[in-house]
Amino acid sequence: MDNIYLLRFTGEDRVGLTSALAKALAELGATVLDINQAVIHESLLLGMMIRVSATSSIKAPVEKIATALDLRVKIRAVTDVDYDHWVDRQGRPRYILTLLARRIEATHLAAVTRVIAEEGLNIDVIHRLSGRPQRLENDDAPKRACVEFWLRGDPFDKARMQARYMDLSRELAIDIAWQKDDPYRRSRRLVAFDMDSTLIQAEVIDELAVEAGCGDSVAAITEMAMRGELDFDTSLRRRVATLKGLPESALQRVAERLELTEGAETLLLNLRELGYRTAILSGGFSYFGNRLRDRLGFDYVHANELEIIDGKLTGNVLPPIVNGQRKADLLDQIAKNEGINRRQIIAIGDGANDLPMLARAGLGIAFHAKPIVRQEAGHAVSNLGLDALLYLLGVRDRERVAHPNQR
């Protein structure tokens, strides 16, 4: 009968340590059942679970090689019961929890890990996806930090856990995304975006209303629609009607002053490099969506079409109106065209009319959204830019393709 041991090595990291340890264990005829290694600021943490013949004595040779390598080692015999418990744990569900903030404080870690523990989940791995902050930070540079937790087990109450994390997000100005680690998470292929107040920092119809001299009344209708207090189709027609007679040249003036949301260019550049397909599904207007397509390289653009006759807006929207249900249907249509499962889709939006699309996607994210949208979407990013999405895909800062302006 064989014996099982858990070996834990610690010490200063340097090239060749793992190779030397593996060679020594090979001479003992060991079978490696599990291995995990991490290096934190040149400090090595290496754990190995091994099986050896019952006739082999490992204490003296393992301690000898550890001493020779200037490492500390702890050796613990693993009983059959403990080993069976470890094997059983490997079959339990795994979740990925992503903590996002401008900078991560110990207060944030304490709050997040308390919920993890109280919901009965075990932390298998913690690692940082964001780059190490500079000792002297540049105040002009956008600050972002991200830590990813690999969790094992099932929470006692998923809805309660989600609600607690939403509360922490508001209280501590952090974002917490929690998703199941399954094959779909690792094979996302399509990212669909709302446009107004998501890709760009404005509601275009409000800007057009300013050009038409009816900004205040239209902004009030827009706000009601975004909160879900007014039927989208009705509100859109009412707002567009106020633009009757506006010259087509006003569209270009508005387009030239629109600003992209923080991180939009970086995100789209990286998504293209990674081979993702991208889409704009917007209750806004195709004129502006097409300009974003040309600038950022979107594969699909679906938005509302303003009727223009003799160089002026008529005050009408051409059917079909791209409302909440239409967005969800378009998402299905694109997925079918691309031959992908809807669970491979990420959708991002901020308004109530985005909820059907967010619900249809495998990962729906409320971005700087109204409270009702954050609550319904389940996942929210409210404190960082759009490029925070790369962290939810598991992309580290050092793996990003930098925008030319950031090099």
PDB file of all heavy atoms in Angstrom, residues 97 109-123 126 149-152 155-156 161 164-165 178:
ATOM      1  N   LEU A  97     -14.738  35.006  -9.211  1.00  0.00           N
ATOM      2  CA  LEU A  97     -15.166  36.296  -8.677  1.00  0.00           C
ATOM      3  C   LEU A  97     -14.084  37.318  -9.023  1.00  0.00           C
ATOM      4  O   LEU A  97     -12.908  37.107  -8.731  1.00  0.00           O
ATOM      5  CB  LEU A  97     -15.374  36.228  -7.167  1.00  0.00           C
ATOM      6  CG  LEU A  97     -15.972  37.483  -6.524  1.00  0.00           C
ATOM      7  CD1 LEU A  97     -16.860  37.111  -5.330  1.00  0.00           C
ATOM      8  CD2 LEU A  97     -14.889  38.457  -6.059  1.00  0.00           C
ATOM      9  N   LEU A 109     -10.854  43.817   0.320  1.00  0.00           N
ATOM     10  CA  LEU A 109     -10.605  42.378   0.429  1.00  0.00           C
ATOM     11  C   LEU A 109     -11.322  41.782   1.632  1.00  0.00           C
ATOM     12  O   LEU A 109     -11.881  40.681   1.557  1.00  0.00           O
ATOM     13  CB  LEU A 109      -9.106  42.116   0.545  1.00  0.00           C
ATOM     14  CG  LEU A 109      -8.262  42.354  -0.711  1.00  0.00           C
ATOM     15  CD1 LEU A 109      -6.782  42.151  -0.399  1.00  0.00           C
ATOM     16  CD2 LEU A 109      -8.693  41.428  -1.840  1.00  0.00           C
ATOM     17  N   ALA A 110     -11.309  42.520   2.746  1.00  0.00           N
ATOM     18  CA  ALA A 110     -11.970  42.014   3.950  1.00  0.00           C
ATOM     19  C   ALA A 110     -13.466  41.834   3.714  1.00  0.00           C
ATOM     20  O   ALA A 110     -14.057  40.820   4.109  1.00  0.00           O
ATOM     21  CB  ALA A 110     -11.727  42.970   5.121  1.00  0.00           C
ATOM     22  N   ALA A 111     -14.091  42.821   3.059  1.00  0.00           N
ATOM     23  CA  ALA A 111     -15.533  42.751   2.826  1.00  0.00           C
ATOM     24  C   ALA A 111     -15.897  41.626   1.866  1.00  0.00           C
ATOM     25  O   ALA A 111     -16.847  40.864   2.090  1.00  0.00           O
ATOM     26  CB  ALA A 111     -16.031  44.098   2.295  1.00  0.00           C
ATOM     27  N   VAL A 112     -15.144  41.510   0.782  1.00  0.00           N
ATOM     28  CA  VAL A 112     -15.454  40.508  -0.237  1.00  0.00           C
ATOM     29  C   VAL A 112     -15.226  39.094   0.299  1.00  0.00           C
ATOM     30  O   VAL A 112     -16.053  38.203   0.120  1.00  0.00           O
ATOM     31  CB  VAL A 112     -14.596  40.757  -1.495  1.00  0.00           C
ATOM     32  CG1 VAL A 112     -14.697  39.569  -2.464  1.00  0.00           C
ATOM     33  CG2 VAL A 112     -15.043  42.029  -2.194  1.00  0.00           C
ATOM     34  N   THR A 113     -14.100  38.876   0.963  1.00  0.00           N
ATOM     35  CA  THR A 113     -13.790  37.524   1.456  1.00  0.00           C
ATOM     36  C   THR A 113     -14.694  37.121   2.620  1.00  0.00           C
ATOM     37  O   THR A 113     -14.928  35.922   2.828  1.00  0.00           O
ATOM     38  CB  THR A 113     -12.319  37.415   1.871  1.00  0.00           C
ATOM     39  OG1 THR A 113     -12.001  38.448   2.822  1.00  0.00           O
ATOM     40  CG2 THR A 113     -11.412  37.567   0.648  1.00  0.00           C
ATOM     41  N   ARG A 114     -15.221  38.087   3.361  1.00  0.00           N
ATOM     42  CA  ARG A 114     -16.162  37.748   4.428  1.00  0.00           C
ATOM     43  C   ARG A 114     -17.422  37.126   3.838  1.00  0.00           C
ATOM     44  O   ARG A 114     -17.932  36.118   4.343  1.00  0.00           O
ATOM     45  CB  ARG A 114     -16.522  38.993   5.246  1.00  0.00           C
ATOM     46  CG  ARG A 114     -17.488  38.672   6.407  1.00  0.00           C
ATOM     47  CD  ARG A 114     -17.744  39.882   7.280  1.00  0.00           C
ATOM     48  NE  ARG A 114     -18.404  40.965   6.566  1.00  0.00           N
ATOM     49  CZ  ARG A 114     -17.843  42.125   6.277  1.00  0.00           C
ATOM     50  NH1 ARG A 114     -16.578  42.356   6.607  1.00  0.00           N
ATOM     51  NH2 ARG A 114     -18.512  43.056   5.632  1.00  0.00           N
ATOM     52  N   VAL A 115     -17.912  37.696   2.749  1.00  0.00           N
ATOM     53  CA  VAL A 115     -19.105  37.129   2.108  1.00  0.00           C
ATOM     54  C   VAL A 115     -18.791  35.742   1.550  1.00  0.00           C
ATOM     55  O   VAL A 115     -19.601  34.812   1.669  1.00  0.00           O
ATOM     56  CB  VAL A 115     -19.604  38.060   0.983  1.00  0.00           C
ATOM     57  CG1 VAL A 115     -20.775  37.416   0.241  1.00  0.00           C
ATOM     58  CG2 VAL A 115     -20.022  39.410   1.557  1.00  0.00           C
ATOM     59  N   ILE A 116     -17.623  35.581   0.959  1.00  0.00           N
ATOM     60  CA  ILE A 116     -17.225  34.269   0.434  1.00  0.00           C
ATOM     61  C   ILE A 116     -17.277  33.214   1.540  1.00  0.00           C
ATOM     62  O   ILE A 116     -17.836  32.126   1.368  1.00  0.00           O
ATOM     63  CB  ILE A 116     -15.811  34.340  -0.173  1.00  0.00           C
ATOM     64  CG1 ILE A 116     -15.821  35.183  -1.448  1.00  0.00           C
ATOM     65  CG2 ILE A 116     -15.275  32.928  -0.470  1.00  0.00           C
ATOM     66  CD1 ILE A 116     -14.432  35.463  -2.010  1.00  0.00           C
ATOM     67  N   ALA A 117     -16.671  33.549   2.686  1.00  0.00           N
ATOM     68  CA  ALA A 117     -16.629  32.588   3.798  1.00  0.00           C
ATOM     69  C   ALA A 117     -18.013  32.304   4.349  1.00  0.00           C
ATOM     70  O   ALA A 117     -18.364  31.144   4.622  1.00  0.00           O
ATOM     71  CB  ALA A 117     -15.717  33.130   4.900  1.00  0.00           C
ATOM     72  N   GLU A 118     -18.814  33.356   4.516  1.00  0.00           N
ATOM     73  CA  GLU A 118     -20.135  33.183   5.116  1.00  0.00           C
ATOM     74  C   GLU A 118     -21.099  32.445   4.193  1.00  0.00           C
ATOM     75  O   GLU A 118     -22.111  31.913   4.650  1.00  0.00           O
ATOM     76  CB  GLU A 118     -20.698  34.537   5.522  1.00  0.00           C
ATOM     77  CG  GLU A 118     -19.932  35.163   6.702  1.00  0.00           C
ATOM     78  CD  GLU A 118     -20.410  36.557   7.052  1.00  0.00           C
ATOM     79  OE1 GLU A 118     -21.273  37.095   6.320  1.00  0.00           O
ATOM     80  OE2 GLU A 118     -19.908  37.122   8.047  1.00  0.00           O
ATOM     81  N   GLU A 119     -20.790  32.411   2.902  1.00  0.00           N
ATOM     82  CA  GLU A 119     -21.622  31.643   1.970  1.00  0.00           C
ATOM     83  C   GLU A 119     -21.084  30.231   1.751  1.00  0.00           C
ATOM     84  O   GLU A 119     -21.567  29.500   0.887  1.00  0.00           O
ATOM     85  CB  GLU A 119     -21.737  32.381   0.634  1.00  0.00           C
ATOM     86  CG  GLU A 119     -22.603  33.638   0.705  1.00  0.00           C
ATOM     87  CD  GLU A 119     -24.058  33.341   1.018  1.00  0.00           C
ATOM     88  OE1 GLU A 119     -24.495  32.190   0.771  1.00  0.00           O
ATOM     89  OE2 GLU A 119     -24.758  34.235   1.509  1.00  0.00           O
ATOM     90  N   GLY A 120     -20.040  29.845   2.515  1.00  0.00           N
ATOM     91  CA  GLY A 120     -19.556  28.472   2.486  1.00  0.00           C
ATOM     92  C   GLY A 120     -18.692  28.104   1.306  1.00  0.00           C
ATOM     93  O   GLY A 120     -18.524  26.923   1.000  1.00  0.00           O
ATOM     94  N   LEU A 121     -18.097  29.101   0.648  1.00  0.00           N
ATOM     95  CA  LEU A 121     -17.236  28.834  -0.496  1.00  0.00           C
ATOM     96  C   LEU A 121     -15.771  28.818  -0.071  1.00  0.00           C
ATOM     97  O   LEU A 121     -15.376  29.535   0.855  1.00  0.00           O
ATOM     98  CB  LEU A 121     -17.433  29.906  -1.578  1.00  0.00           C
ATOM     99  CG  LEU A 121     -18.824  29.945  -2.227  1.00  0.00           C
ATOM    100  CD1 LEU A 121     -18.977  31.196  -3.060  1.00  0.00           C
ATOM    101  CD2 LEU A 121     -19.051  28.710  -3.071  1.00  0.00           C
ATOM    102  N   ASN A 122     -14.984  28.023  -0.770  1.00  0.00           N
ATOM    103  CA  ASN A 122     -13.556  27.951  -0.488  1.00  0.00           C
ATOM    104  C   ASN A 122     -12.784  28.664  -1.588  1.00  0.00           C
ATOM    105  O   ASN A 122     -13.104  28.544  -2.771  1.00  0.00           O
ATOM    106  CB  ASN A 122     -13.093  26.491  -0.416  1.00  0.00           C
ATOM    107  CG  ASN A 122     -11.658  26.367   0.055  1.00  0.00           C
ATOM    108  OD1 ASN A 122     -11.372  26.584   1.222  1.00  0.00           O
ATOM    109  ND2 ASN A 122     -10.756  26.037  -0.853  1.00  0.00           N
ATOM    110  N   ILE A 123     -11.752  29.432  -1.214  1.00  0.00           N
ATOM    111  CA  ILE A 123     -10.906  30.117  -2.186  1.00  0.00           C
ATOM    112  C   ILE A 123      -9.767  29.191  -2.574  1.00  0.00           C
ATOM    113  O   ILE A 123      -8.938  28.820  -1.741  1.00  0.00           O
ATOM    114  CB  ILE A 123     -10.348  31.430  -1.612  1.00  0.00           C
ATOM    115  CG1 ILE A 123     -11.490  32.378  -1.217  1.00  0.00           C
ATOM    116  CG2 ILE A 123      -9.428  32.103  -2.631  1.00  0.00           C
ATOM    117  CD1 ILE A 123     -11.021  33.627  -0.489  1.00  0.00           C
ATOM    118  N   ILE A 126      -6.031  33.012  -5.690  1.00  0.00           N
ATOM    119  CA  ILE A 126      -6.203  34.456  -5.838  1.00  0.00           C
ATOM    120  C   ILE A 126      -5.037  34.959  -6.668  1.00  0.00           C
ATOM    121  O   ILE A 126      -3.881  34.658  -6.368  1.00  0.00           O
ATOM    122  CB  ILE A 126      -6.190  35.201  -4.487  1.00  0.00           C
ATOM    123  CG1 ILE A 126      -7.261  34.653  -3.547  1.00  0.00           C
ATOM    124  CG2 ILE A 126      -6.400  36.699  -4.703  1.00  0.00           C
ATOM    125  CD1 ILE A 126      -7.205  35.276  -2.150  1.00  0.00           C
ATOM    126  N   PHE A 149     -10.552  35.852  -7.976  1.00  0.00           N
ATOM    127  CA  PHE A 149     -10.642  34.742  -7.022  1.00  0.00           C
ATOM    128  C   PHE A 149     -11.229  33.532  -7.739  1.00  0.00           C
ATOM    129  O   PHE A 149     -12.241  33.653  -8.419  1.00  0.00           O
ATOM    130  CB  PHE A 149     -11.571  35.089  -5.854  1.00  0.00           C
ATOM    131  CG  PHE A 149     -11.148  36.256  -5.015  1.00  0.00           C
ATOM    132  CD1 PHE A 149     -11.374  37.554  -5.459  1.00  0.00           C
ATOM    133  CD2 PHE A 149     -10.555  36.071  -3.775  1.00  0.00           C
ATOM    134  CE1 PHE A 149     -11.004  38.648  -4.687  1.00  0.00           C
ATOM    135  CE2 PHE A 149     -10.183  37.148  -2.999  1.00  0.00           C
ATOM    136  CZ  PHE A 149     -10.400  38.435  -3.450  1.00  0.00           C
ATOM    137  N   TRP A 150     -10.601  32.381  -7.565  1.00  0.00           N
ATOM    138  CA  TRP A 150     -11.191  31.123  -8.018  1.00  0.00           C
ATOM    139  C   TRP A 150     -11.817  30.461  -6.804  1.00  0.00           C
ATOM    140  O   TRP A 150     -11.128  30.109  -5.846  1.00  0.00           O
ATOM    141  CB  TRP A 150     -10.138  30.214  -8.632  1.00  0.00           C
ATOM    142  CG  TRP A 150      -9.543  30.745  -9.908  1.00  0.00           C
ATOM    143  CD1 TRP A 150      -9.735  31.970 -10.461  1.00  0.00           C
ATOM    144  CD2 TRP A 150      -8.659  30.046 -10.776  1.00  0.00           C
ATOM    145  NE1 TRP A 150      -9.020  32.106 -11.620  1.00  0.00           N
ATOM    146  CE2 TRP A 150      -8.345  30.925 -11.844  1.00  0.00           C
ATOM    147  CE3 TRP A 150      -8.094  28.767 -10.769  1.00  0.00           C
ATOM    148  CZ2 TRP A 150      -7.491  30.567 -12.878  1.00  0.00           C
ATOM    149  CZ3 TRP A 150      -7.245  28.410 -11.802  1.00  0.00           C
ATOM    150  CH2 TRP A 150      -6.949  29.291 -12.842  1.00  0.00           C
ATOM    151  N   LEU A 151     -13.132  30.285  -6.853  1.00  0.00           N
ATOM    152  CA  LEU A 151     -13.886  29.756  -5.722  1.00  0.00           C
ATOM    153  C   LEU A 151     -14.420  28.364  -6.044  1.00  0.00           C
ATOM    154  O   LEU A 151     -14.762  28.069  -7.196  1.00  0.00           O
ATOM    155  CB  LEU A 151     -15.065  30.679  -5.396  1.00  0.00           C
ATOM    156  CG  LEU A 151     -14.754  32.175  -5.255  1.00  0.00           C
ATOM    157  CD1 LEU A 151     -16.031  32.949  -4.980  1.00  0.00           C
ATOM    158  CD2 LEU A 151     -13.731  32.408  -4.169  1.00  0.00           C
ATOM    159  N   ARG A 152     -14.519  27.541  -4.997  1.00  0.00           N
ATOM    160  CA  ARG A 152     -15.059  26.196  -5.196  1.00  0.00           C
ATOM    161  C   ARG A 152     -16.201  25.949  -4.217  1.00  0.00           C
ATOM    162  O   ARG A 152     -16.133  26.349  -3.059  1.00  0.00           O
ATOM    163  CB  ARG A 152     -13.975  25.132  -5.007  1.00  0.00           C
ATOM    164  CG  ARG A 152     -14.398  23.755  -5.509  1.00  0.00           C
ATOM    165  CD  ARG A 152     -13.267  22.761  -5.399  1.00  0.00           C
ATOM    166  NE  ARG A 152     -12.151  23.091  -6.262  1.00  0.00           N
ATOM    167  CZ  ARG A 152     -12.100  22.803  -7.573  1.00  0.00           C
ATOM    168  NH1 ARG A 152     -13.128  22.199  -8.142  1.00  0.00           N
ATOM    169  NH2 ARG A 152     -11.046  23.100  -8.282  1.00  0.00           N
ATOM    170  N   PRO A 155     -22.662  28.413  -3.163  1.00  0.00           N
ATOM    171  CA  PRO A 155     -23.058  29.293  -2.058  1.00  0.00           C
ATOM    172  C   PRO A 155     -24.347  28.806  -1.417  1.00  0.00           C
ATOM    173  O   PRO A 155     -25.187  28.181  -2.072  1.00  0.00           O
ATOM    174  CB  PRO A 155     -23.250  30.652  -2.749  1.00  0.00           C
ATOM    175  CG  PRO A 155     -23.490  30.331  -4.178  1.00  0.00           C
ATOM    176  CD  PRO A 155     -22.735  29.080  -4.469  1.00  0.00           C
ATOM    177  N   PHE A 156     -24.493  29.101  -0.145  1.00  0.00           N
ATOM    178  CA  PHE A 156     -25.713  28.705   0.555  1.00  0.00           C
ATOM    179  C   PHE A 156     -26.943  29.344  -0.078  1.00  0.00           C
ATOM    180  O   PHE A 156     -27.997  28.730  -0.173  1.00  0.00           O
ATOM    181  CB  PHE A 156     -25.618  29.100   2.030  1.00  0.00           C
ATOM    182  CG  PHE A 156     -24.513  28.403   2.776  1.00  0.00           C
ATOM    183  CD1 PHE A 156     -23.700  29.103   3.662  1.00  0.00           C
ATOM    184  CD2 PHE A 156     -24.268  27.049   2.598  1.00  0.00           C
ATOM    185  CE1 PHE A 156     -22.675  28.473   4.349  1.00  0.00           C
ATOM    186  CE2 PHE A 156     -23.250  26.402   3.283  1.00  0.00           C
ATOM    187  CZ  PHE A 156     -22.443  27.113   4.166  1.00  0.00           C
ATOM    188  N   MET A 161     -26.170  36.199  -1.843  1.00  0.00           N
ATOM    189  CA  MET A 161     -24.769  36.549  -2.111  1.00  0.00           C
ATOM    190  C   MET A 161     -24.681  37.675  -3.135  1.00  0.00           C
ATOM    191  O   MET A 161     -23.927  38.637  -2.966  1.00  0.00           O
ATOM    192  CB  MET A 161     -24.023  35.318  -2.612  1.00  0.00           C
ATOM    193  CG  MET A 161     -22.539  35.542  -2.850  1.00  0.00           C
ATOM    194  SD  MET A 161     -21.721  33.988  -3.312  1.00  0.00           S
ATOM    195  CE  MET A 161     -20.038  34.558  -3.535  1.00  0.00           C
ATOM    196  N   ARG A 164     -25.716  40.971  -1.569  1.00  0.00           N
ATOM    197  CA  ARG A 164     -24.695  41.511  -0.668  1.00  0.00           C
ATOM    198  C   ARG A 164     -23.568  42.161  -1.457  1.00  0.00           C
ATOM    199  O   ARG A 164     -23.046  43.215  -1.064  1.00  0.00           O
ATOM    200  CB  ARG A 164     -24.147  40.397   0.222  1.00  0.00           C
ATOM    201  CG  ARG A 164     -25.155  39.855   1.225  1.00  0.00           C
ATOM    202  CD  ARG A 164     -24.564  38.751   2.078  1.00  0.00           C
ATOM    203  NE  ARG A 164     -23.557  39.260   3.021  1.00  0.00           N
ATOM    204  CZ  ARG A 164     -22.869  38.473   3.838  1.00  0.00           C
ATOM    205  NH1 ARG A 164     -23.068  37.158   3.828  1.00  0.00           N
ATOM    206  NH2 ARG A 164     -21.985  38.987   4.667  1.00  0.00           N
ATOM    207  N   TYR A 165     -23.200  41.556  -2.584  1.00  0.00           N
ATOM    208  CA  TYR A 165     -22.141  42.155  -3.387  1.00  0.00           C
ATOM    209  C   TYR A 165     -22.604  43.447  -4.065  1.00  0.00           C
ATOM    210  O   TYR A 165     -21.820  44.384  -4.236  1.00  0.00           O
ATOM    211  CB  TYR A 165     -21.627  41.152  -4.409  1.00  0.00           C
ATOM    212  CG  TYR A 165     -20.638  40.172  -3.814  1.00  0.00           C
ATOM    213  CD1 TYR A 165     -20.654  38.828  -4.135  1.00  0.00           C
ATOM    214  CD2 TYR A 165     -19.676  40.612  -2.910  1.00  0.00           C
ATOM    215  CE1 TYR A 165     -19.747  37.940  -3.577  1.00  0.00           C
ATOM    216  CE2 TYR A 165     -18.768  39.729  -2.342  1.00  0.00           C
ATOM    217  CZ  TYR A 165     -18.812  38.403  -2.672  1.00  0.00           C
ATOM    218  OH  TYR A 165     -17.907  37.534  -2.106  1.00  0.00           O
ATOM    219  N   TRP A 178     -19.346  38.033 -10.647  1.00  0.00           N
ATOM    220  CA  TRP A 178     -19.358  36.653 -10.150  1.00  0.00           C
ATOM    221  C   TRP A 178     -19.969  35.774 -11.225  1.00  0.00           C
ATOM    222  O   TRP A 178     -21.140  35.935 -11.586  1.00  0.00           O
ATOM    223  CB  TRP A 178     -20.179  36.610  -8.869  1.00  0.00           C
ATOM    224  CG  TRP A 178     -20.253  35.293  -8.185  1.00  0.00           C
ATOM    225  CD1 TRP A 178     -19.216  34.611  -7.624  1.00  0.00           C
ATOM    226  CD2 TRP A 178     -21.413  34.492  -7.975  1.00  0.00           C
ATOM    227  NE1 TRP A 178     -19.656  33.436  -7.074  1.00  0.00           N
ATOM    228  CE2 TRP A 178     -21.005  33.338  -7.271  1.00  0.00           C
ATOM    229  CE3 TRP A 178     -22.756  34.635  -8.292  1.00  0.00           C
ATOM    230  CZ2 TRP A 178     -21.895  32.336  -6.909  1.00  0.00           C
ATOM    231  CZ3 TRP A 178     -23.649  33.638  -7.937  1.00  0.00           C
ATOM    232  CH2 TRP A 178     -23.219  32.506  -7.236  1.00  0.00           C
TER     233      TRP A 178
END
